[in-house]
Amino acid sequence: RKEVEQDPGPFNVPEGATVAFNCTYSNSASQSFFWYRQDCRKEPKLLMSVYSSGNEDGRFTAQLNRASQYISLLIRDSKLSDSATYLCVVNMNYGGSQGNLIFGKGTKLSVKP
Amino acid sequence: DGGITQSPKYLFRKEGQNVTLSCEQNLNHDAMYWYRQDPGQGLRLIYYSQIVNDFQKGDIAEGYSVSREKKESFPLTVTSAQKNPTAFYLCASSIGGEVYGYTFGSGTRLTVV
């Protein structure tokens, strides 16, 4: 099983749509979870951290399900500017030592007018 | 403004040459990282350093070398031993630990000619 898995997409949605991405991770001991956004030929930028209780930032909502080891990102009222690749990021914590962050390959979102 | 700076933005290398990619940060972060990204692929960890004068190999360290003589700087050398060096190279830093995520530089696009 890959450490962090995402549906590569692309997800093609009209403006104003609601779209959801899922991500699964393999290490049940992982403690830190993030969603990053990467525009074409640019560096990844932190979109939001994912907390156990779920968290919201404007049109973006992140959820964590530890039992099933998956993370989700919901985008409401999609904008053209939301078009990007969304990376699921998880720390791999083995044996109590802090591991590095592992990046999924990303899910590509294209929002159309 | 605090940030992480990579240079050059584009770099062309001839077969058999070593090249060094620069990464400088003024965020006072302890940890620094080098990733490689190939088209349509996720980020792969090359080397990382949690503290000055110490660094560890990542998943794909062969053909690369690093140094960490100063907290602010973490240069990456792509040696002639790296058989397929054409890629997008990303440097990142973090305050230490993976709780806060990583901040990325804008990347260096290396092409072998």
Side-chain angles (χ1 to χ4, degrees):
Chain A
R1 181 179 176 184
K2 293 180 182 175
E3 292 182 299
V4 178
E5 289 197 72
Q6 295 182 250
D7 180 343
F11 284 58
N12 297 309
V13 303
E15 270 188 292
T18 295
V19 61
F21 307 137
N22 289 331
C23 162
T24 58
Y25 60 94
S26 61
N27 185 354
S28 60
S30 294
Q31 296 293 326
S32 302
F33 310 90
F34 308 90
W35 283 102
Y36 275 71
R37 170 195 170 126
Q38 186 174 23
D39 292 290
C40 187
R41 300 177 70 83
K42 300 286 189 181
E43 75 274 21
K45 293 185 178 177
L46 179 64
L47 179 65
M48 58 197 304
S49 301
V50 186
Y51 302 119
S52 296
S53 54
N55 48 300
E56 189 173 304
D57 183 2
R59 297 182 294 108
F60 298 85
T61 301
Q63 297 279 354
L64 169 63
N65 185 320
R66 285 189 184 276
S68 300
Q69 293 178 213
Y70 82 77
I71 307 154
S72 65
L73 177 68
L74 183 78
I75 305 175
R76 291 181 298 278
D77 188 22
S78 299
K79 311 290 184 193
L80 296 176
S81 56
D82 293 335
S83 297
T85 297
Y86 290 84
L87 309 179
C88 174
V89 184
V90 178
N91 87 305
M92 289 295 153
N93 193 356
Y94 298 106
S97 62
Q98 283 185 333
N100 294 318
L101 296 183
I102 304 297
F103 289 76
K105 292 185 178 181
T107 298
K108 187 172 182 179
L109 171 65
S110 181
V111 181
K112 306 292 187 185
Chain B
D1 284 341
I4 182 166
T5 302
Q6 289 187 242
S7 62
K9 192 173 179 68
Y10 299 96
L11 186 57
F12 297 89
R13 190 194 94 169
K14 292 183 179 179
E15 295 271 0
Q17 277 185 337
N18 291 356
V19 290
T20 298
L21 283 56
S22 170
C23 179
E24 304 275 335
Q25 54 98 0
N26 60 2
L27 299 165
N28 200 31
H29 285 174
D30 289 310
M32 297 187 74
Y33 310 83
W34 274 105
Y35 285 89
R36 168 184 174 139
Q37 188 175 36
D38 294 280
Q41 300 297 313
L43 277 66
R44 292 185 290 168
L45 182 64
I46 305 172
Y47 268 99
Y48 64 100
S49 168
Q50 302 281 14
I51 197 169
V52 175
N53 292 322
D54 189 41
F55 49 83
Q56 284 77 42
K57 293 181 179 180
D59 300 319
I60 55 165
E62 186 175 350
Y64 300 98
S65 65
V66 293
S67 62
R68 187 85 188 276
E69 297 176 1
K70 299 186 300 181
K71 187 176 184 178
E72 301 80 15
S73 178
F74 191 40
L76 174 74
T77 296
V78 184
T79 75
S80 56
Q82 170 48 239
K83 298 306 177 190
N84 186 20
T86 295
F88 187 39
Y89 289 87
L90 288 157
C91 180
S93 68
S94 72
I95 199 165
E98 278 55 51
V99 176
Y100 302 103
Y102 298 169
T103 300
F104 283 88
S106 58
T108 292
R109 204 163 292 275
L110 173 63
T111 304
V112 173
V113 295

